[in-house]
Amino acid sequence: MKKLFIPLVVFLIASCCPKEETISLQDIYAQKAAGNFTQAKKLIDYYIAQNSLDEIEVYHLYAAKDTMDRIVVDFNRTKEDVLAVITPYYPDVTDEMLEKWEKEKSLESMVIDGEKRYFSRGAPNLFRIDAEAKARRTEVSGPFINRYDSILAIRLPQLITTLSKSGKTQGDPVKMKVKYSLTLRPNVIPEGETVRCWLPYPREDHRRQNNVKLLSVNSDNYIISPHDYAHRTLYMEKVTEKDEPLVFSLEFTYSSIPEWFNLSADKVKPYNTQSELYQTYTAEREQHIVFTDKIKEVSAQVVGDETNPFLKVKKIFEWIDSNYPWAGAREYSTLPNIPMYVLENNHGDCGQVSLLFITMARYNGIPAKWQSGFMTHPGALNLHDWAEVYFEGVGWVPVDQSFGRSLFGEDERVVNFFVNGMDGYRWIVNEDYGQPLFPAKIYTRSESVDFQRGELEWRGGNIYFDKWRWRFEVEYLN
């Protein structure tokens, strides 16, 4: 780690602080918890100046300041902004209604430096989380239809029919060409400065993804991370020019293979609980896979006395699907424990419910791990996270918690497809979460849990998401 430079201004600020006033970490955390971010950041500067801290301690204190800045970016809507979204459906909306939704956690808000601010995606999320609001939206605007449903309604029954007859677990691959770009806004970084960039790259070490071929990179010098890195990246550097955006891009082709295991309770064997795999993937892992009292409580309710591994997975999957609707997510780096956030707020996006699933599976003795990248369905390109579980005698099996139970007919095999299958519209980038990048990143990451959109930094620090945009296009080759 490079030595961190503490600006002279910190010492000047500290010199203005009464010498008898000693700042503690408890003071800092109390101000942060109260939403007094400006004061909390000042106290961090005082604390650094007053104490002889090592580089790691200083690093984490500056990371705490970053987190507060990121929360401010996330909670950037005013009451007027929220009302503009809600009033087409509730023309007579009142303050009491807003307060009710906020109390029920259907409308996320936070008081920051004395001002109530709403989550940037909070108003649209209301119509996904609250059952009455969802029904009102349907009444006014008609039913919401996922853009990938029309594809899966055809593909899933076809895949199940084909694999049932053949006895195989994999179908025909989907071949795709991807163009991915990351664009830094002009003049965010002074001209002549070198910007370091990590872009997502397809894994070549997973059975559901192969035939990766890099077609182009808009740089002569780049590095692709080794296979043993959990986050698969393509790294390059570029120099900024005045008034010009800085673009990093790549293009590649690959094949994505759909998979379905047609599992049932009698097809899985008892675990070898002494194996390294079992012990690794049923363990807790700070900070998001933690067996809290709440996790233990809901597991007792959901799993009960069930002993069969597949039926445990099925119960957990169905319970999360029934109780935690998809909603646009806050940045993961601002959440101390993502599964607890889902349980406390009654909703979650794909990665959030996947981490809840993984935590509950592990607590109940089912080896489970993270996997992520992108969903590449025509007309529905997006970031996406899911899980894999291990069954003795079968191996690792994909589980897509946020896709939930399929609604395409009454065939139970189709309904439960995503408990033990994955469609072919995926781009796998990550085999774990929160792991190092290659080459190593010096400053805190914009996304500390997942890696998808990319990462940027320069000698002055990390360059956060609000300073750049990402984009990808997919051409379907078959």
Side-chain angles (χ1 to χ4, degrees), residues 81-124:
D81 296 329
V82 167
L83 290 176
V85 176
I86 294 176
T87 50
Y89 303 97
Y90 289 94
D92 54 350
V93 62
T94 64
D95 288 344
E96 288 72 24
M97 293 169 68
L98 294 178
E99 290 171 7
K100 174 180 177 292
W101 288 325
E102 292 170 36
K103 185 177 180 180
E104 294 172 349
K105 304 294 183 69
S106 299
L107 179 61
E108 286 186 85
S109 66
M110 182 179 293
V111 176
I112 300 176
D113 290 334
E115 177 187 355
K116 178 174 280 191
R117 303 165 67 104
Y118 291 87
F119 175 43
S120 61
R121 304 171 76 178

Side-chain angles (χ1 to χ4, degrees), residues 120-337:
S120 61
R121 304 171 76 178
N125 279 347
L126 170 67
F127 297 96
R128 302 178 178 114
I129 300 167
D130 184 84
E132 181 185 336
K134 185 177 181 179
R136 176 68 70 93
R137 182 188 65 181
T138 299
E139 179 184 341
V140 174
S141 302
F144 174 78
I145 300 174
N146 284 315
R147 286 173 290 180
Y148 50 76
D149 279 352
S150 59
I151 298 169
L152 297 183
I154 298 172
R155 295 279 287 180
L156 297 190
Q158 286 180 342
L159 181 64
I160 286 172
T161 298
T162 300
L163 296 183
S164 295
K165 291 179 179 179
S166 68
K168 297 179 180 179
T169 59
Q170 291 191 330
D172 294 333
V174 179
K175 300 177 182 179
M176 291 169 275
K177 178 193 289 187
V178 173
K179 296 180 180 179
Y180 194 93
S181 65
L182 187 162
T183 304
L184 177 64
R185 296 206 313 263
N187 304 321
V188 168
I189 305 301
E191 66 175 312
E193 295 285 354
T194 298
V195 175
R196 308 175 74 208
C197 175
W198 293 259
L199 293 178
Y201 193 75
R203 303 198 69 82
E204 300 167 272
D205 57 354
H206 197 283
R207 66 177 185 272
R208 294 200 310 275
Q209 187 164 277
N210 58 26
N211 296 324
V212 175
K213 182 179 180 181
L214 181 61
L215 302 179
S216 65
V217 182
N218 72 334
S219 173
D220 293 332
N221 297 303
Y222 59 88
I223 303 172
I224 297 174
S225 62
H227 290 291
D228 56 353
Y229 275 74
H231 300 307
R232 188 75 161 146
T233 64
L234 185 146
Y235 172 85
M236 61 177 128
E237 299 177 356
K238 283 181 171 291
V239 177
T240 57
E241 298 181 20
K242 184 176 176 57
D243 299 329
E244 293 294 330
L246 195 60
V247 180
F248 302 86
S249 66
L250 60 83
E251 184 175 358
F252 59 87
T253 56
Y254 76 107
S255 295
S256 177
I257 304 169
E259 193 167 54
W260 178 64
F261 283 85
N262 193 21
L263 287 181
S264 57
D266 60 336
K267 291 185 179 180
V268 299
K269 300 177 181 178
Y271 287 112
N272 173 10
T273 58
Q274 302 305 309
S275 71
E276 181 180 357
L277 182 150
Y278 184 88
Q279 295 186 5
T280 297
Y281 293 105
T282 55
E284 293 179 274
R285 180 178 157 199
E286 293 285 359
Q287 65 193 54
H288 299 293
I289 302 178
V290 182
F291 303 153
T292 62
D293 290 342
K294 185 65 175 178
I295 290 292
K296 296 175 183 178
E297 176 189 334
V298 297
S299 291
Q301 297 170 2
V302 175
V303 177
D305 297 327
E306 182 58 63
T307 59
N308 182 273
F310 178 67
L311 295 182
K312 286 183 181 181
V313 166
K314 194 166 179 287
K315 283 189 170 187
I316 295 169
F317 184 94
E318 291 177 352
W319 179 74
I320 295 175
D321 183 49
S322 297
N323 291 283
Y324 300 95
W326 186 93
R330 290 173 52 182
E331 288 296 341
Y332 290 3
S333 64
T334 68
L335 301 173
N337 183 311

